[in-house]
């Protein structure tokens, strides 16, 4: 039933394409086209982009690219158009000749908005189809597929004929298929082949095309498209499930990252550390400071900023942790509930300190190049930042396990936790072990802050957003068990993400909390309960 | 007779406490209503509201001290009981607005009208009747405490685990009440109240009476708590606090004692919330926020855990300093408050009243 | 502040302050009418913005703007020959504390007017206090409407000054046919989305082309929702997202949008709560082209604006500090108040409230904003696109000024209501059908 509007839309699109093409078919003087850029009206700009893309003018690509980057300018006095180079040099748009004496100050940039950007993308598709760079050619083919500009079919066919690169050829075939599948002028066999190509692609835009076959198309085509669409849908559903699982793992690793420091200070040492969130926050602000310094003094190293920030954040949060332990917490051992009170006070003071130093608004922490964007893995879009956080979390967890299992410090730490008096009497300086253990937990929280700065606000409230979740994770996993924390964080993350599409974000979160409450009734000491004499406190 | 027996058991600090609260209960409304503004004995209208708010906070702290100080249950979710009591009162106040709301709808509160609700949700039925609302003020927090306690104490969830699940409860409630679909006004909560039992809530006399009622409720709460802790039951509670397993081995059904005192405490917190709402004029989900409950714990700790009077004093002291500091040092007050919490923990581990009490006992001990 | 109570820290402190401050406070104790006070004694202006807690992020700046405006006015000689003095308090993002602090500002500090609040709930919380004590509040933030109080002047946008023009723009200029209404689950997004839903349906958009999604406060994991948006937008019709997502949750939302490659040219996001301040915390390169609808942008090319930016950056001693819409609202509100006081010749709130209506002052976008009888102001509506440098450039604006409509015409309950605080009507919710003022039955 709902295919009718789609059909109408398709007709309209084709018509529109013809209408747009018609004026350009007329002999247009280039001057007229270029003058359109200088009217400072978006529809004119869009039309000018279309016209210049079809004009075959040698400067066309350069002009459109300059427009994309905001380097196209016009002079109000005579409406002449200039391209400003990346180095600031001005050249006349019409001839490409350098005109150094046209002072840049008097020029006004040609503005763009979203409709113009769309036109630009389509125009670049046309212009770059013959580019020397295979990557650009592929992008161009995809742009044409997006624009569904039927007039580009001959250009695509020509491009396909001379294409040597297999991946580009696939992209062009697909773009052609997208144009042909809705084109009633094509023979049936061609349209059926187009349907097969689209079905193989299996993406959402392919599904849209398959669904937009007009109702008056031959029955064979409609049936094939129907079948193909169903197949694509199934495929997408499976992908969606896998994608959700990844979202869950990613959320779980964020939870784990936030909670893992607490698993030490609270889980192992028994301190109800309300200032844990602020340790995370300190880590995030350390990242901010590192990036600011790099931006000012060594911009080329910016992509390595996180690498510099990691040890620094560990040191900053760790030493603040040690300072807190030495000045406050060491007087409170054996009174766990009072640590809650004191660390709450610390948390208030730290938040306000950061607010005083850095201001209360969000601070910009940039993503280095390797953490931006996403990539496609068998049709699943994975974002780099999330993926790196998962990897990073695993690394941190492994590091922590290693420290506790295999280092001398870890051995002493376990000894102190298990039997403080005995450890003391064999010569372990228990109070320094306490301080360093708290420092370790805080430091880990600090490096968690480095990672969280990539996906969340860097503001004085950063820590507050994670503290409750962190406590839930540690308690659910079982106080004192690192593996428990791992399992708890990941399972809560996945459960949350599986619930979210069904119940919505708010209800999903409530459901998880209720689940934890009920679970603790069933297993009062969490997933991985500590056994033995030390368990009963 | 009961009063006499109770009075006989009161220590010095408790006698002072009772005397002060009774005096306040009479003097503040008097000073506010009888003496004209400008007279040196006049208590300003703003102060009456403020003191009334502190009284309800004191009652909340008292109820928390009953479970934490005497039974070792550290509830990080007592704010939930307070807020539930407040919501029950708020719902009554909303219903009693009637056609005086901006949209003039006799049944639906304003926020439902402009979100295009057509029917009153079931949860709101009967709340136009004061008696029912007051019943709910006590029943809803009591029921929540009963259900939570019934499961938690039977499964022997103790210590930190119990604290964290109470925190989870209040957090879950906060998120639920945030949801507009719940029908409790979402983030904005309930506000714009007109009158309470026909008395306009903004009238000065109503405020004075509400203050007096809050002070009376505090006294009543204190009497009940004192009666509990100084009875045999109270001894068992302290035994549970200090050695739960041993008490169980002695044959006491620990979970029943805990459940009883937890429910009593929740009801007290609910009443405090109900008195709080008409005085501050708004109830919204932020009252459920875990930070609020933690703050209540801090009041108790500052005043002195396990002293009852200390809890009330702590609530008033912390809130008074907050009131003063947020105006006097608006950009620095969190440092001062944070430092206060740290210093009290380090140097006054028994809280103010506990430390003072120990000091007096010490002096009396020495010749 | 003279109390008979002799207990607690409170008394000690209040007494110290009592002794320490000027005669103005002492005079205030007697509750004398302000006009009787000695000529030249400073007049207090209350600033009620959170300086700590979750809302400090947005509100601290507004406190600074107010301090600047007061300082400037004092340089010009104050008002009616009297200097102004800022009374700053910190309501700490705590709603009941807002009410308490409002009461303190009005009764103890005797503020002639108060500028403050950001969230709707904080305004709702202080509203009864201002009405009871008959004082004046200037509220500078865009909000959901459905309110008009005698004592509040709304200098931010009502939904018709922001949301509806934005939707119009997207429909006409970007030919959007499918809509995602994404918001934080609280009253402003709920109401705005309800208004928009009604409006879209009126324009012939079908139910299946509208997706409404709510998230909790401070939501930080947007993976699922961004994917949902992508899927919804991949159905072949031009799709746009109308975002009423609240401040803090925006940064992770935009970061996720950028990372999942939702480009503005494919699925534009128009936001009503994202301004220059919020963008200052994000790398905006992946966001170029996403939209914002406000009544002011820092990039607006007007001499008043250039002047304001220069003064602001000098005042805050940071040449990179940005300005935003609520700041402009405070500028307008403050200038209006100054004018109204001068017109009334007194600081007395009753007289000033009457004098406010009709007062017109220049706004920062090159026009004149006027206080209307419904206590809302006239504003231009600007639609802007986010640029790579974190600025928002205007791509469209209303030809004239738009009057704030407090009672939405698109909501069942309020379409018959109007507000007019001029005498003799003096009513915030007059029902034109029933011909009577609500809330007084």
């Amino acid at each position: 039933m709902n295919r009718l509007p789609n059909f109408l839309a398709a007709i309209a699109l084709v018509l529109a394409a013809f209408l747009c093409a018609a004026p350009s078919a007329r002999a247009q003087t280039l001057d007229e086209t270029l003058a359109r850029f200088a009217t400072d009206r978006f529809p004119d700009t869009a039309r000018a982009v279309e016209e210049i893309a079809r004009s075959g003018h040698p400067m066309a690509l350069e002009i459109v690219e300059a427009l994309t980057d905001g380097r196209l300018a016009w002079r109000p006095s005579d409406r002449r158009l200039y391209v400003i180079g990346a180095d600031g040099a001005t050249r006349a748009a019409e001839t490409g000749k350098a005109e150094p004496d046209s002072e840049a100050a008097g020029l006004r940039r040609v503005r763009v908005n979203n409709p113009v950007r769309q036109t630009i993308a389509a125009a670049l598709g046309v212009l770059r189809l013959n580019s020397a760079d295979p990557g650009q050619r592929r992008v161009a083919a995809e742009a044409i597929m997006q624009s569904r500009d039927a007039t580009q079919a001959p250009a695509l066919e020509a491009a396909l004929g001379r294409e040597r690169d297999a991946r580009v050829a696939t992209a062009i075939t697909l773009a052609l298929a997208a144009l042909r599948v809705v084109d009633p002028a094509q023979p049936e066999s061609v349209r059926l082949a187009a349907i097969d190509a689209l079905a193989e692609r299996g993406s959402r835009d392919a599904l849209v095309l398959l669904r937009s076959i007009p109702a008056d198309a031959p029955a064979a085509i409609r049936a094939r498209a129907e079948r193909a669409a169903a197949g694509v849908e199934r495929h997408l559903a499976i992908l969606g499930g896998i994608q959700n699982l990844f979202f869950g793992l990613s959320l779980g690793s964020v939870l784990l990252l936030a909670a893992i420091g607490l698993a030490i200070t609270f889980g192992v040492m028994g301190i109800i550390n309300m200032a844990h969130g602020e340790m995370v926050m300190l880590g995030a602000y350390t990242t901010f400071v590192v990036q600011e310094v790099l931006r000012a003094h060594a911009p080329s190293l910016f992509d390595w900023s996180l690498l510099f920030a990691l040890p620094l954040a560990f040191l900053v949060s760790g030493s603040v942790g040690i300072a807190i332990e030495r000045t406050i917490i060491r007087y409170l051992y054996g009174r766990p509930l009072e640590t809650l009170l004191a660390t709450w006070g610390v948390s208030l003071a730290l938040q306000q300190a950061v607010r005083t130093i850095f201001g209360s608004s969000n601070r910009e922490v940039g993503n280095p190049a390797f953490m931006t964007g996403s990539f496609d893995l068998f049709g699943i879009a994975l974002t780099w930042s999330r993926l790196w956080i998962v990897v990073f979390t695993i690394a941190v967890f492994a590091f922590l396990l290693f420290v506790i299992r295999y280092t001398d410090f870890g051995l002493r730490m376990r000894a102190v936790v298990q039997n403080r008096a005995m450890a003391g009497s064999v010569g372990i300086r228990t109070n320094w072990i306490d301080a360093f253990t708290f420092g370790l937990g805080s430091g880990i929280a600090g490096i968690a802050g480095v990672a969280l700065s990539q996906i969340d606000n860097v503001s004085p409230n950063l820590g507050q957003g994670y503290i409750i979740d962190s406590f839930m994770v540690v308690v659910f996993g079982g106080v004192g068990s690192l593996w428990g924390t791992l399992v708890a964080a990941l399972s809560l993350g996945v459960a949350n993400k599986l619930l979210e599409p069904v119940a919505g974000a708010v209800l999903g979160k409530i459901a998880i909390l209720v689940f934890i409450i009920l679970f603790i009734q069933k297993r009062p000491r969490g997933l991985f309960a500590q056994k033995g004499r030390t368990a009963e406190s | 007779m009961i009063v006499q027996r109770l009075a006989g058991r009161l220590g010095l600090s408790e006698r002072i406490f009772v005397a002060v609260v009774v005096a306040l209960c009479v003097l503040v409304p008097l000073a506010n209503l009888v003496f004209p503004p400008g007279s040196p004995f006049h208590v300003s209208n703003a102060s009456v509201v403020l003191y009334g708010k502190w009284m309800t906070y004191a009652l909340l702290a008292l109820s928390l001290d009953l479970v934490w100080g005497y039974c070792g249950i550290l509830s990080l979710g007592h704010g939930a009981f307070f807020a539930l009591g407040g919501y029950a009162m708020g719902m009554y106040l909303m219903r009693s607005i009637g056609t005086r709301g901006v949209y003039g709808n006799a049944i639906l509160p304003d926020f439902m009208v402009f979100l295009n609700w057509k029917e009153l949700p079931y949860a709101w039925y009967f709340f136009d009747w004061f008696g029912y609302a007051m019943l709910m003020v006590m029943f809803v927090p009591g029921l929540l405490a009963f259900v939570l306690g019934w499961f938690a104490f039977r499964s022997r969830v103790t210590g930190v685990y119990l604290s964290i699940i109470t925190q989870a409860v209040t957090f879950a409630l906060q998120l639920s009440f945030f949801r507009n679909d719940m029908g409790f006004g979402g983030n904005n909560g309930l506000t714009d109240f007109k009158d309470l039992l026909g008395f306009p809530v903004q009238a000065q006399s109503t405020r004075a009476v509400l203050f007096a009622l809050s002070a009376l409720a505090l006294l009543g709460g204190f009497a009940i708590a004192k009666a509990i802790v100084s009875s045999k039951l109270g001894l068992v509670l302290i035994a549970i606090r200090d050695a739960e397993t041993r008490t169980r081995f002695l044959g006491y059904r620990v979970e029943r004692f805990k459940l009883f005192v937890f429910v009593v405490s929740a009801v007290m917190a609910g009443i405090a919330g109900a008195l709080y709402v008409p005085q501050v004029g708004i109830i919204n989900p932020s009252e459920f926020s875990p930070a609020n409950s933690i703050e209540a714990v801090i009041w108790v700790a500052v005043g002195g855990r396990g002293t009852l009077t200390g809890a009330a004093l702590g609530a008033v002291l912390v809130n008074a300093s907050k009131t003063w500091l947020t105006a006097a040092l608006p950009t620095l007050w969190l440092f001062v408050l944070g430092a206060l919490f740290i210093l009290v923990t380090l140097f006054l581990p028994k809280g103010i009243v506990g430390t003072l009490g120990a000091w007096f006992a010490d002096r009396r001990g020495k010749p | 502040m003279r109390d008979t109570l002799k207990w607690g820290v409170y008394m000690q402190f209040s007494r110290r302050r009592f002794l320490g401050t000027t005669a103005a406070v002492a005079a205030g104790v007697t509750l004398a009418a302000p006009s009787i006070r000695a000529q030249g004694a400073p007049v207090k202006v209350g600033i009620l913005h959170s300086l700590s807690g979750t809302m400090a992020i947005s509100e601290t700046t507004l406190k600074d703007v107010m301090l600047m405006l007061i300082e400037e006015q004092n340089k010009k000689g104050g008002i009616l020959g009297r200097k102004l003095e800022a009374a700053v308090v910190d309501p700490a993002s705590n709603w009941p504390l807002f009410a308490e602090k409002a009461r303190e500002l009005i009764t103890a500090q005797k503020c002639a007017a108060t500028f403050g609040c950001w969230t709707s709930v904080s305004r709702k919380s202080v509203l009864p206090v201002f009405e009871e004590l008959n004082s004046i509040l200037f509220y500078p933030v865009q909000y959901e409407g459905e309110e008009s109080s005698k004592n509040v002047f709304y200098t931010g946008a009502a939904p018709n000054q922001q949301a509806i023009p934005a939707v119009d723009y997207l429909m006409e200029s970007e030919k959007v046919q499918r809509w995602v209404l994404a918001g934080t689950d609280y009253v402003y997004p709920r109401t705005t989305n309800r208004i928009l839903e009604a409006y879209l349906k009126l324009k012939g958009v079908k139910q299946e082309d509208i997706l409404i999604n709510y998230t909790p406060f401070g939501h930080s994991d947007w993976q699922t929702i961004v994917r949902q948006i992508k899927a919804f937008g991949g159905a072949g019709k031009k799709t746009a997202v109308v975002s009423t997502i609240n401040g803090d949750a925006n940064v992770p939302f935009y970061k996720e949008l950028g990372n999942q490659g939702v480009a503005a040219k494919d699925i534009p996001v128009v936001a009503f709560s994202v301004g220059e301040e919020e963008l200052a915390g994000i790398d905006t390169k992946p966001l170029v082209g996403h939209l914002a609808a406000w009544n002011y942008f820092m990039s607006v090319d007007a001499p008043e604006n250039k002047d304001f930016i220069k003064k602001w950056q000098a005042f805050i001693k940071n040449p990179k500090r940005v300005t935003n819409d609520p700041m402009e609202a405070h500028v307008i509100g403050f200038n209006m108040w100054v004018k109204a006081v001068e017109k009334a010749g007194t600081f007395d709130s009753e007289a000033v409230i009457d004098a406010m209506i009709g007062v017109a002052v220049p706004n920062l976008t090159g026009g004149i904003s006027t206080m209307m009888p419904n206590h809302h102001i006239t504003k231009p509506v600007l639609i802007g696109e986010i640029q790579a440098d974190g600025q928002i450039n205007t791509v469209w604006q209303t030809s004239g000024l738009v009057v704030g409509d407090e009672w939405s015409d698109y909501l069942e309950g309020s379409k018959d209501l109007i507000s007019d605080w001029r005498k003799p009507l003096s009513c915030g919710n007059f029902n034109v059908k029933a011909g009577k003022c609500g809330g007084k039955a």
Side-chain angles (χ1 to χ4, degrees), chain A residues 477-524:
Chain A
V479 172
S481 162
L482 275 186
W483 284 104
T485 307
L486 174 85
V487 174
L490 294 185
S491 45
L492 290 184
V494 172
N496 199 334
K497 281 294 155 188
L498 292 183
L499 274 175
E500 198 180 307
V502 189
V506 191
L507 265 187
K509 196 153 185 187
I510 296 170
I512 294 282
L513 284 170
V514 171
F515 167 74
I516 293 177
I517 295 166
L518 293 178
F519 183 85
I520 295 293
Q521 318 286 359
K522 197 80 199 141
R523 293 187 65 126

Side-chain angles (χ1 to χ4, degrees), chain A residues 66-393:
Chain A
L67 182 61
T68 329
D69 307 341
R71 291 186 290 107
L72 194 66
W74 54 285
R75 192 158 56 198
S77 56
D78 56 359
R79 295 187 182 269
R80 262 168 59 87
L81 205 60
Y82 295 92
V83 174
I84 303 174
D87 51 352
T90 19
R91 289 183 301 152
E94 202 181 333
T95 56
K97 277 197 203 113
E99 283 195 21
D101 40 317
S102 62
E103 72 255 55
L107 296 180
R108 289 181 60 180
R109 310 268 164 149
V110 180
R111 300 184 306 147
V112 293
N113 67 355
N114 281 328
V116 177
R117 274 188 204 97
Q118 261 175 309
T119 323
I120 291 177
L124 281 178
V126 177
L127 290 169
R128 283 179 176 164
L129 203 53
N130 302 323
S131 162
D133 176 9
Q136 286 218 344
R137 291 203 297 276
R138 211 171 97 219
V139 175
E142 275 161 14
I144 294 176
M145 182 172 169
Q146 289 281 319
S147 70
R148 285 187 227 162
D149 179 355
T151 58
Q152 291 304 318
L156 281 175
E157 273 159 18
L160 187 61
R162 50 173 196 270
E163 188 57 60
R164 295 282 166 269
D165 188 308
R167 289 176 69 189
V168 181
T170 321
I172 297 178
T173 317
L174 214 58
L176 262 178
L179 300 184
R180 282 173 178 163
V181 77
V182 287
D183 183 1
Q186 296 290 337
E188 194 169 315
S189 62
V190 172
R191 293 181 76 181
L192 287 177
I195 289 174
D196 290 345
L198 288 173
E200 199 172 333
R201 158 93 176 188
S203 64
R204 193 159 290 279
D205 40 356
L207 182 66
V208 173
L209 281 163
L210 289 172
R211 287 251 182 265
S212 64
I213 305 282
D216 63 346
I221 291 180
R222 274 172 38 217
R224 177 87 68 104
E226 193 75 15
R227 238 191 354 263
V232 172
E233 234 164 32
R234 239 187 344 267
H235 180 65
L236 285 176
I238 294 168
L239 286 186
I242 299 172
Q243 181 107 53
N244 244 342
L245 211 61
F246 173 74
F247 288 163
L249 281 181
S250 140
L251 176 64
S253 60
V254 167
L255 286 175
L256 178 59
L257 207 48
I260 197 166
L262 194 69
I264 297 174
T265 52
F266 170 57
V268 176
M269 301 181 75
I271 297 159
I272 305 181
N273 183 13
M274 299 306 293
H276 170 73
E278 278 58 48
M279 298 297 146
V280 177
M281 174 191 74
L282 284 182
Y285 272 93
T286 309
T287 319
F288 166 71
V289 172
V290 167
Q291 289 200 345
E292 283 300 287
V293 171
L294 286 182
R295 268 199 195 115
H297 300 291
S300 57
L301 290 177
F302 185 79
D303 273 350
W304 300 94
S305 58
L306 296 190
L307 221 55
F308 293 110
L310 280 179
L312 279 174
F314 186 81
L315 284 179
V316 169
S317 295
S319 36
V320 171
I322 290 176
I324 294 171
E325 202 279 343
R326 285 288 83 187
T327 52
I328 298 167
I329 290 170
R330 70 159 159 164
Y331 303 105
L332 301 176
Y333 286 114
R335 298 188 277 156
L337 295 178
E338 291 180 20
T339 57
L340 173 131
L341 184 67
T343 50
W344 180 256
V346 170
S347 129
L348 290 185
L350 279 176
Q351 277 178 51
Q352 194 61 22
V354 167
R355 202 170 277 136
T356 313
I357 299 169
F358 295 98
S360 49
S361 46
N362 284 330
R363 289 287 149 177
E364 180 189 339
V365 171
N367 297 46
F370 67 93
M371 283 187 84
T372 41
S374 60
F375 68 103
D376 202 80
L377 187 75
F378 309 118
I380 305 167
L382 300 180
T383 50
W384 282 111
S385 60
R386 297 278 173 182
L387 193 69
W388 278 113
I389 285 175
V390 174
V391 171
F392 180 70
T393 310

Side-chain angles (χ1 to χ4, degrees), chain B residues 320-344:
Chain B
S321 32
K322 221 170 151 179
T323 296
W324 173 64
L325 288 168
T326 45
L329 300 167
T331 48
L332 294 174
W333 69 278
L334 276 175
F335 289 122
V336 182
L337 207 65
L340 174 77
F341 297 158
I342 296 169
L343 295 178
V344 165

Side-chain angles (χ1 to χ4, degrees), chain C residues 164-176:
Chain C
I164 288 181
V167 167
D168 281 339
Y169 169 77
L170 285 173
M171 261 189 215
E172 276 155 32
S173 171
E174 303 216 6
K175 310 277 179 276
V176 173

